[in-house]
Amino acid sequence: MGNKDLLEKVVLLTGASAGIGAATARQLAAAGAHLALAARRQTRLRRLAVEIAGQGGQILVVKTDLSDYTQIRRLVRRTLAVFGRIDVLVNIAGWGSYSWMDTAKAKHLETQFAVNVLAPLHLTRLLLPDMQRRRSGHIINMVSYASRVAVPPQTIYAGTKYALEGLTDGLRRELRPWGIHVSRVHPGGVSGTEFNDLAARRGGVGFQSPGVGNLSRESVARAIHRLILHPRRELMLGRLYDVPAFINRYAPWLVDWAMAWWVRRKRKMF
C-alpha cells in the first residue's frame, strides 16, 4: 500500500528492533503513522528510526525491557506525553527458550511469561483509560500457531501463547462497549527473524519449523497494516499450519504419539 492510509495514527509497537517488529515499523511508517518504537536494543531502534524518518510520521524511540514493569509504565507515559494519545497498540515482542522442563531455568520460565503475557496486559491496562475516554482504539496481540499446538521443546512458550489467546478473547468482549477493537494474530513459521536461533541457544534444544510454507516478515507486517485498517477478531497466517492444528484438535492421540517418539529420539532414550 503506497498511500498514507494511517496518516496521523499513533501506534505503539513493541519488539521493534528486529524481525517482524522492525518490518512492521517500516510498513506503518510508509503509511504515515506516528510510531513509538520499544525494544531492549536501543542502538538498533535508533538505526531503524533514522531509516524510516521523514516518511510522514514522527518517530519516538524508547528503550524498554518488557520484563520490568517500571520500564513499561515509562514507555506508556512517554508515548502519551509526546503524542497525546495511543490509537493502536501492537504487541509483537516475544521471548522464548527451547528446553526440556527438567532442565529449564527458573529465570527463563519467568521471563517468557513476563514478556509474552504480563507485558501485553500491563500495556493494555495502562493505556485503556485514554482509549476508553475517547471510545476508540485497537489492541493487537501476536499469538502464533503455538497457541493451537503445544509441542516440546516449545512447551513453556506455547503455554504463554495459549494464555495470551484466552486473554485476548476476554479483552475483546470486555472492551467492545467502548468501541475498542482487540485482535490476535497467529503467524506460522516466519523467515528472516532471530527468534528460533535465540530460543534454542538459551534453552539448549534445537527446534525448527518445517520451512515449507514459511512467511516472510514483510508479509506479516503487511497483514498487520491491513488489520489496523480493517479490524477483525483473528488473523491466521500461514494456513499450512492449519493441518497440525486440525490433527491436534480432533486426533490429539496422534500428536501425543509422534511427539513422544521425537522426544525419545532427541533425548537418546532408545
Side-chain angles (χ1 to χ4, degrees):
M1 300 180 185
N3 57 334
K4 303 292 185 180
D5 46 23
L6 294 181
L7 196 63
E8 301 302 318
K9 283 279 188 183
V10 178
V11 182
L12 172 54
L13 178 64
T14 70
S17 63
I20 296 171
T24 302
R26 294 184 183 97
Q27 179 73 25
L28 302 187
H34 297 307
L35 297 177
L37 305 178
R40 289 174 300 160
R41 295 177 288 193
Q42 190 173 35
T43 300
R44 288 196 180 192
L45 282 180
R46 286 176 173 168
R47 191 182 304 136
L48 176 64
V50 170
E51 176 191 337
I52 63 180
Q55 297 194 48
Q58 186 177 346
I59 310 296
L60 170 68
V61 167
V62 185
K63 180 183 178 182
T64 309
D65 181 347
L66 290 170
S67 66
D68 182 342
Y69 174 69
T70 300
Q71 295 189 42
I72 291 172
R73 186 170 54 187
R74 184 188 64 189
L75 168 63
V76 173
R77 286 177 174 173
R78 285 199 60 191
T79 304
L80 289 174
V82 170
F83 296 115
R85 70 183 193 281
I86 298 170
D87 297 307
V88 185
L89 167 64
V90 187
N91 289 303
I92 292 180
W95 201 95
S97 176
Y98 294 163
S99 60
W100 312 117
M101 187 61 73
D102 57 299
T103 63
K105 296 178 181 178
K107 182 62 177 177
H108 287 180
L109 302 181
E110 295 167 3
T111 302
Q112 286 180 90
F113 275 89
V115 174
N116 300 351
V117 181
L118 293 179
L121 290 181
H122 285 316
L123 285 166
T124 298
R125 182 177 62 85
L126 290 169
L127 61 77
L128 268 182
D130 173 63
M131 287 187 173
Q132 288 173 316
R133 178 179 54 80
R134 293 184 293 108
R135 292 185 171 271
S136 175
H138 193 175
I139 298 159
I140 298 173
N141 289 331
M142 187 65 64
V143 177
S144 117
Y145 268 87
S147 72
R148 300 301 171 91
V149 188
V151 297
Q154 291 184 318
T155 303
I156 301 151
Y157 175 75
T160 68
K161 295 304 182 178
Y162 271 78
L164 188 57
E165 177 171 350
L167 290 165
T168 301
D169 285 351
L171 282 169
R172 185 180 66 252
R173 293 155 185 160
E174 178 178 339
L175 301 179
R176 186 172 180 178
W178 283 271
I180 299 169
H181 300 286
V182 184
S183 307
R184 47 183 163 82
V185 180
H186 298 251
V190 181
S191 59
T193 76
E194 307 167 317
F195 185 86
N196 276 333
D197 288 342
L198 287 174
R201 197 178 310 143
R202 292 178 187 127
V205 184
F207 182 85
Q208 292 292 334
S209 59
V212 179
N214 274 8
L215 304 158
S216 69
R217 57 190 180 181
E218 289 78 17
S219 66
V220 178
R222 289 191 294 270
I224 291 171
H225 182 179
R226 291 192 297 270
L227 183 61
I228 293 172
L229 294 174
H230 307 288
R232 51 191 289 193
R233 179 183 303 110
E234 67 177 20
L235 193 58
M236 311 299 290
L237 303 173
R239 303 309 297 257
L240 183 66
Y241 286 80
D242 284 346
V243 176
F246 179 89
I247 296 171
N248 185 63
R249 181 173 183 179
Y250 293 103
W253 60 269
L254 185 57
V255 181
D256 292 351
W257 177 86
M259 293 314 302
W261 174 86
W262 184 83
V263 170
R264 290 190 190 99
R265 183 182 179 193
K266 191 78 171 177
R267 303 201 74 173
K268 298 179 172 53
M269 296 175 65
F270 65 84

